[in-house]
Amino acid sequence: MKRFRLKSVLVVLFLSTVLISCSNDDDKAETTVKTKTAFVTEIKGPATGKVNDELSYDVTFTVENACGEFDKIAETTIGEAKGLQVIAKYPSEVCTQQIPDPKKTVYKFKATAKGTVEIKFRKSETEFLTQKVVIE
């Protein structure tokens, strides 16, 4: 009888240990990401190109803190002028690295007709940084 009680107690302890150790309370909550416009400081790339050739431009931009990363390039309008803007993403947690380095991304462009094209990226709330490209 003592053996049966001892085995029963051990089985109950084992099962309770297994059930407690498998709980979900230590799963991390899903982190949300905030996005904001990042202003461009420099555009580097070719000044000439040919129709249907893909041109690549290095776009340098600044982020609010060192945790900011490139998200995407989107269209924007300032007054009547249309152009592009860099969107940066920031994790929702507090960023401990406050001094950001300039970030870079590559913008690819393919012209479909001859002429002069202006590639405009938002450099502030009120103006664009412009790169002129002559397409032959």
Side-chain angles (χ1 to χ4, degrees):
M1 192 72 162
K2 284 185 179 183
R3 285 187 185 177
F4 180 73
R5 282 188 187 175
L6 181 61
K7 286 183 181 179
S8 298
V9 169
L10 290 175
V11 168
V12 169
L13 285 174
F14 175 75
L15 289 175
S16 62
T17 303
V18 169
L19 291 174
I20 291 172
S21 65
C22 293
S23 69
N24 290 350
D25 62 349
D26 58 348
D27 291 346
K28 291 186 176 180
E30 214 174 287
T31 58
T32 57
V33 176
K34 296 178 185 176
T35 59
K36 294 183 181 179
T37 300
F39 297 127
V40 172
T41 57
E42 184 179 37
I43 305 170
K44 285 185 180 180
T48 61
K50 294 185 178 184
V51 175
N52 293 325
D53 280 354
E54 187 172 82
L55 304 174
S56 295
Y57 293 88
D58 293 326
V59 178
T60 305
F61 60 96
T62 57
V63 289
E64 289 181 358
N65 59 45
C67 295
E69 294 292 331
F70 173 78
D71 185 29
K72 63 184 176 181
I73 294 175
E75 293 182 1
T76 187
T77 304
I78 299 176
E80 298 290 319
K82 291 184 178 185
L84 302 168
Q85 67 184 357
V86 173
I87 306 294
K89 60 184 174 182
Y90 300 89
S92 62
E93 301 97 37
V94 175
C95 182
T96 58
Q97 306 165 355
Q98 295 301 317
I99 302 173
D101 291 328
K103 306 280 185 179
K104 290 189 178 194
T105 189
V106 176
Y107 173 68
K108 296 188 185 263
F109 170 74
K110 186 186 281 189
T112 57
K114 291 183 178 184
T116 301
V117 178
E118 289 185 342
I119 300 172
K120 298 179 182 181
F121 275 93
R122 190 176 210 155
K123 79 173 192 177
S124 71
E125 290 293 333
T126 59
E127 57 188 329
F128 288 110
L129 184 61
T130 304
Q131 171 79 33
K132 290 188 179 187
V133 184
V134 177
I135 304 298
E136 301 170 345

